[in-house]
Each structure stands twice: as structure tokens, then as C-alpha cells.
């Protein structure tokens, strides 16, 4: 067994995904000695997919965290800006719905693997050891003892002053807490969606260009289900099909090549000609489930904290899971400033108290947004509301829509964004219903009402 010294300096980070790698980097910058353990091989040399979802939407909260470790500029070099949702109807008509009325607000498509590789390179450059092919199989949350199995099935033990469980939604570190759940009064819930997802693709065109517009997140909203597409640097698109498992238009009933062809011809006729590998990909690529995981406490013992998806996995419809996991590191960094070096017990306690409400808020917002993306984007009242929001954002620097509060106001906690955003939505929808259209609404009057709402809710931006 490798014993590390006992001054709070030696930290084990289990899971070198996006959150764990960023966290280790920050800890090193603060003077700790982090060690990363990752069950997968090194994605920079092994031919593996980085796991779930090939590309992700990176926005302000994630960029702020990357900035904290000095990597935001580097990350930006591998992003593609997406200015809005480009909506495809069944006839192939397109409508752009911008994310914001401010021209400089956009989200970024980024490859999960490339981003993780940037983090690995930076971690190694700082001298952080990354032990790949080391799967954590058990942990003692109080002593900091960890047991790993390497790729040859050898068992290796480690002991650290502090352990971070950054091992994602299926966290083994969290499972250890569940084993002593009555002692910890450990609450846990896992809520599956009725929908799953399958990844498909649109390749580059013959002249190596994008086949569809690259500056938007494409959505094919179909009320009870949808398909989305995010651009990649190699001019391809990663397409994600979100369908219910059951029912006529569910994964369970779209099985044969004839089913797939019929289904795509019916619902996504404009996308189909761009998807030459559709049948093969549909058959070969897995159908994966989606869900929300909530648990508490995240401090699962004297020496252990859950962080990122291990603490709070959410559905992907706000494009915030990674951004939120990165923001955990920003919040932790701030909390650590209030305590002595290595005072992990108090740091973990304070972190979970401050952060839990915001993780819950983004989990709720992400569930709301599924309905918005697949259904409401096509609703005329919703479209008028977005029109009004764009007008207000474009003209008045003080106003932020709910989407902008969550996505572009990185200093506003998610819980405040939820509270203000939902109240604003309610007010605007009510006005649109009363007046019939955005153009009939007195701009200054509604702006005043929106500002009054902010005062009433005691939220400053
Ligand atoms: C379809 C889909 C689309 C998404 N789109 C977006 C998006 O657009 N924007 C966004 O912000 N978020 C998005 N997300 C969410 C995002 O992927 C996660 O929130 C993010 O990956 C969480 O990072 P993490 O490091 O906490 O966990 P993970 O990325 O899951 O990393 C955990 C790491 O731990 C390792 N590990 C697991 N078990 C062990 C073990 N026992 N021992 C050692 N290592 C272990 C894993 O191999 C992995 O490397 C999406 C998710 C899905 C499913």
C-alpha cells in the first residue's frame, strides 16, 4: 500500500473525466498534490470514444471554470460557435431562433475527447500523475482508502488525505456511501426519462464542407420526440435522436431497416439525404438511457466528497451538465479560500451546503427544457415570447431571458436563474396571451414590470 503524508496535501481524484481533470489541475495550482485515477485507457493514444456524447455545448459557466485554470483560450480554439436553434419542420422549412438578443452571446460546440485531452495535457504538464486503466472498486469515505483494479486485474491500494469522487453518474464512490446510508442519512434518487437517445451522424460533403449550416444547433422538434445536431471541427455533425422507448414512434418499435427508413422519411425527410450511414449507425450505435440523479450529503465521510455527475447527474437538455460540473470546481475554489490549507472536513461541508440548491435548480431547468426543445419551440405563443425577449435583450442591457440567465450570466447561481427566469416567463406568456402578439406589447411598460419582478424577488444581476 502506498501511504501518502497526512497534512491534507495528498488528494486522490477518482475519475479523470471532464470534472476530475479540471479539479486536479486547480488543486495542483493551489499547492496540493493530486493524483488522478481513470478506469479507461488514455483516450489520446487508445482508439476509444470518450464515452457518452461525442460533442457538447460549452457555455459561459464552463468557460469561466476553464479560465480559472488558464485553459479557456486554448479550449476556444477547438470550438464552433452556435448562435441559436435552427428549427427544421417536417416540410424541411428552416427557422432560426437565436439564443439571445445580444449579438455576442452564443454557445460553443466542442468535442468531449478533444477537451478532455487538453485537460490531460495540462495536468501532465503540471506534473499530475494520471493512472489510466485503474478502476476504483471500493473506497472507505472516512479513512481515504481506495482499492483499484488495473487492466491485468491486479488489485492496488491507495490512501489519500482527501478523496474526490469525480467518477460520473455511475459513481463507485457514491455506492460506498450508499452502503452506510443509514449512518449518513444518505438520500439518493434516480429518475429515468421515458426517452432514451441514440447518436448518429451527418458526414462532411464531398468537397469537405458542412452539409448543413455550421453556426447553429439544429433541432428537428416533433412534439413528443426530437432530433438535434451539433457541428464538429471536421465538418461533420453529431446527430442525437431522442425518442421514447415505447409506443409507435419509440425505439422498441423501430428495429428493421424498413422501420428506420419509413420513420425517417416520415419525420426527418430533409435530414435523411445527409445521413448516408443512417441504417448502419442506427443498428450499431447503442440506445442509451437518460436520467436525473440527486443525492445528499455529498460529503460521504470525513475524507470524501462527491463532485460533478457523481453528485448530480442531469438530463442534457439545457446543455449544462459539463458546465455545471466545471462550475463545481469554481465554487469549491471559492469555498477553499475561507478555510485553512487541507481543512477538508470543513471545506466539504461548506461546499455541499452552498452548492446543493444550485445543482437541484439546474436539474429542474434541464427537465423543463426537454419539453421546450421538442414541443414549445414550435408553439406560436412561445415563438412570440422569444421574439419579445430578443427585442428586449437587444435594446436593453439590463434584461436577460431565462435562457440567458442560465447560459450567459455565469456569476448568477442556477437557483437564482431558475427563480427569476420562471417568474419572467410567466409574466411574458401572460402578456402575450392577453395582447395576442409581441408587437402589441408596450416595451417600456413590460421592461418596468420585469425590473419590478427582480426587485420583488430580491435578485440582483
Ligand atoms: C447525450 C448527452 C449530451 C450531453 N450534452 C451536454 C452538453 O451539451 N453540455 C454540457 O454541459 N453537458 C452535456 N452533457 C452532460 C455531460 O456529459 C456531463 O455532465 C459531464 O460529462 C460530467 O462530467 P464528470 O467528469 O462529472 O463525469 P464523466 O464525464 O462521466 O466522467 C467520469 C469519469 O470517471 C471515470 N470513471 C467512472 N467510474 C470509475 C471508476 N470506478 N474508477 C475510475 N474511474 C472511473 C469515467 O471513465 C470518466 O472518465 C451531456 C450528456 C449526455 C449523456
Amino acid at each position: 500500500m502506498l501511504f501518502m503524508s497526512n497534512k491534507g496535501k495528498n488528494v486522490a481524484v477518482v475519475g479523470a473525466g471532464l470534472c476530475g481533470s479540471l479539479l486536479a489541475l486547480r488543486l495542483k495550482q493551489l499547492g496540493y498534490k493530486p493524483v488522478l485515477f481513470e478506469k479507461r485507457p488514455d483516450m489520446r493514444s487508445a482508439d476509444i470514444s470518450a464515452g457518452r456524447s461525442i460533442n457538447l455545448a460549452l457555455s459561459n459557466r464552463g468557460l469561466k471554470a476553464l479560465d480559472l485554470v488558464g485553459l479557456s483560450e486554448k479550449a476556444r480554439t477547438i470550438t464552433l460557435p452556435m448562435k441559436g436553434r435552427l428549427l427544421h419542420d417536417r416540410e424541411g422549412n428552416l427557422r432560426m431562433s437565436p439564443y439571445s438578443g445580444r449579438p455576442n452571446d452564443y454557445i460553443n460546440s466542442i468535442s468531449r475527447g478533444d477537451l478532455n485531452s487538453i485537460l490531460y495535457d495540462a495536468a501532465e504538464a503540471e506534473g499530475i500523475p494520471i493512472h489510466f486503466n485503474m478502476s476504483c472498486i471500493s473506497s472507505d469515505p472516512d479513512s481515504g482508502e481506495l482499492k483499484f483494479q488495473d487492466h491485468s486485474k491486479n488489485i492496488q491500494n491507495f490512501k489519500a488525505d482527501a478523496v474526490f469522487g469525480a467518477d460520473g453518474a455511475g459513481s463507485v464512490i457514491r455506492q460506498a456511501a450508499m452502503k452506510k446510508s443509514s449512518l449518513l442519512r444518505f438520500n439518493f434518487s434516480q429518475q429515468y426519462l421515458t426517452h432514451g437517445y441514440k447518436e448518429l451522424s451527418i458526414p462532411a460533403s464531398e468537397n469537405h464542407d458542412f452539409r448543413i449550416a455550421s453556426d447553429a444547433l439544429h433541432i428537428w422538434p416533433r412534439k413528443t420526440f426530437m432530433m438535434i445536431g451539433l457541428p464538429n471541427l471536421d465538418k461533420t455533425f453529431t446527430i442525437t435522436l431522442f425518442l421514447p422507448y415505447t409506443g409507435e414512434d419509440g425505439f422498441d418499435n423501430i428495429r428493421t431497416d424498413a422501420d428506420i427508413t419509413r420513420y425517417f422519411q416520415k419525420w426527418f425527410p430533409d435530414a435523411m439525404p445527409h445521413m448516408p450511414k443512417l441504417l448502419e449507425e442506427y443498428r450499431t450505435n447503442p440506445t442509451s438511457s437518460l436520467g436525473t440523479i440527486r443525492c445528499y450529503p455529498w460529503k460521504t465521510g470525513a475524507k470524501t466528497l462527491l463532485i460533478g455527475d457523481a453528485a448530480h447527474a442531469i438530463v442534457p437538455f439545457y446543455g449544462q451538465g459539463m458546465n455545471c460540473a466545471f462550475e463545481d470546481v469554481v465554487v469549491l475554489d471559492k469555498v477553499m479560500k475561507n478555510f485553512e490549507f487541507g481543512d477538508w472536513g470543513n471545506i466539504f461541508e461548506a461546499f455541499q451546503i452552498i452548492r446543493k440548491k444550485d445543482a437541484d435548480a439546474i436539474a429542474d431547468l434541464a427537465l423543463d427544457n426537454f419539453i421546450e426543445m421538442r414541443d414549445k419551440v414550435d408553439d406560436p405563443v412561445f415563438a412570440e415570447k422569444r421574439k419579445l425577449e430578443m427585442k428586449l435583450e437587444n435594446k436593453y442591457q439590463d434584461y436577460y431571458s431565462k435562457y440567458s440567465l442560465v447560459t450567459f450570466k455565469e456569476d448568477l447561481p442556477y437557483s437564482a436563474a431558475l427563480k427569476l427566469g420562471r417568474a419572467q416567463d410567466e409574466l411574458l406568456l401572460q402578456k402575450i396571451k392577453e395582447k395576442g402578439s409581441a408587437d402589441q406589447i408596450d416595451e417600456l411598460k413590460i421592461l418596468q414590470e420585469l425590473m419590478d419582478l427582480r426587485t420583488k424577488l430580491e435578485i440582483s444581476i
Side-chain angles (χ1 to χ4, degrees), residues 13-21 37-40 43 50 52-59 108 112 116 120 134-137 148 165-173 197 199 217 228 230 240 242 289-290 307-326:
V13 179
V14 179
L18 295 167
C19 180
S21 309
F37 297 94
E38 169 56 46
K39 78 170 174 189
R40 292 166 183 261
M43 65 178 71
R52 302 160 308 163
S53 75
I54 294 154
N55 56 16
L56 303 158
L58 170 69
S59 49
N108 306 279
R112 181 192 288 272
N116 223 144
Y120 285 172
M134 289 277 265
S135 183
C136 183
I137 51 172
F148 294 91
D167 51 342
S171 173
V172 165
I173 304 294
Y197 73 97
E199 285 185 344
L217 188 152
I228 67 168
L230 275 76
T240 313
F242 295 97
S289 58
L290 293 163
I307 195 161
D309 270 20
H312 46 71
I314 63 176
V315 293
F317 305 111
Y318 231 111
Q320 285 293 319
M322 161 191 61
N323 289 286
C324 175
F326 277 174

Side-chain angles (χ1 to χ4, degrees), residues 255-275:
R255 291 181 178 278
T256 64
D257 286 0
D259 293 341
I260 302 164
T261 307
R262 206 176 316 116
Y263 174 80
F264 269 77
Q265 275 169 349
K266 180 175 172 191
W267 292 109
F268 309 115
D270 67 328
M272 220 179 151
H274 298 305
M275 302 173 78

Side-chain angles (χ1 to χ4, degrees), residues 81-368:
M82 300 182 289
K83 294 179 190 148
R85 298 164 171 161
L86 194 55
L87 307 171
H88 297 241
D89 72 14
R90 278 179 72 182
E91 280 70 49
N93 301 310
L94 298 178
R95 182 166 63 83
M96 181 69 162
S97 172
Y99 281 124
S100 163
R102 294 179 183 80
N104 295 329
D105 285 346
Y106 52 84
I107 62 173
N108 306 279
S109 179
I110 192 163
S111 146
R112 181 192 288 272
D114 290 350
L115 179 57
N116 223 144
S117 297
I118 284 181
L119 290 165
Y120 285 172
D121 289 346
E124 283 178 346
E126 298 250 12
I128 300 170
I130 312 178
H131 298 289
F132 291 103
N133 298 305
M134 289 277 265
S135 183
C136 183
I137 51 172
S138 74
S139 82
D140 180 333
D142 288 313
S143 68
E145 284 170 3
L146 296 162
K147 194 174 271 187
F148 294 91
Q149 189 174 58
D150 67 18
H151 60 294
S152 313
K153 301 221 180 302
N154 296 320
I155 301 296
Q156 300 202 32
N157 296 303
F158 287 85
K159 191 167 194 270
D161 301 330
V163 173
F164 285 89
D167 51 342
S171 173
V172 165
I173 304 294
R174 192 182 62 232
Q175 280 164 27
M178 309 257 306
K179 283 188 192 140
K180 53 172 211 166
S181 60
S182 59
L183 203 70
L184 268 177
R185 294 190 303 283
F186 189 76
N187 291 314
F188 172 80
S189 74
Q190 178 164 14
Q191 192 190 2
Y192 281 107
L193 274 195
T194 48
H195 290 60
Y197 73 97
K198 189 184 279 292
E199 285 185 344
L200 305 165
S201 74
I202 292 183
S205 68
E206 273 165 20
N207 52 345
H208 302 293
D209 208 347
F210 287 105
R211 286 172 184 249
I212 54 177
S214 65
D215 61 349
L217 188 152
H218 292 252
I219 308 185
W220 289 260
R222 298 296 180 261
K223 294 215 177 292
T224 53
F225 57 91
M226 68 173 177
M227 189 165 85
I228 67 168
L230 275 76
N232 296 307
L233 285 178
D234 64 0
K235 319 271 184 190
T236 64
F237 268 80
T238 302
I239 300 293
T240 313
L241 180 64
F242 295 97
L243 293 190
Y245 280 98
T246 55
E248 193 191 338
D249 294 315
F251 280 118
D252 290 353
N253 288 306
I254 306 166
R255 291 181 178 278
T256 64
D257 286 0
D259 293 341
I260 302 164
T261 307
R262 206 176 316 116
Y263 174 80
F264 269 77
Q265 275 169 349
K266 180 175 172 191
W267 292 109
F268 309 115
D270 67 328
M272 220 179 151
H274 298 305
M275 302 173 78
K277 289 188 180 162
L278 171 65
L279 297 178
E280 184 193 328
E281 287 177 342
Y282 191 98
R283 270 187 262 112
T284 321
N285 294 353
T287 304
S288 307
S289 58
L290 293 163
T292 305
I293 290 176
R294 297 177 207 250
C295 66
Y296 202 77
W298 296 339
K299 178 190 171 193
T300 59
K303 294 191 173 177
T304 304
L305 182 78
L306 300 173
I307 195 161
D309 270 20
H312 46 71
I314 63 176
V315 293
F317 305 111
Y318 231 111
Q320 285 293 319
M322 161 191 61
N323 289 286
C324 175
F326 277 174
E327 194 181 65
D328 279 359
V329 179
V330 176
V331 174
L332 182 77
D333 179 71
K334 215 167 153 191
V335 166
M336 286 169 76
K337 294 195 169 79
N338 298 322
F339 296 94
E340 279 184 20
F341 186 90
D343 182 6
W344 292 114
N346 283 319
I347 292 168
F348 290 172
E349 194 81 45
F351 171 77
Q352 64 178 5
I353 291 169
I354 289 166
R355 189 63 175 152
K356 173 68 169 144
K357 63 182 187 322
D358 295 315
D360 283 342
I362 191 58
D364 290 343
L365 284 161
L367 285 164
D368 288 356

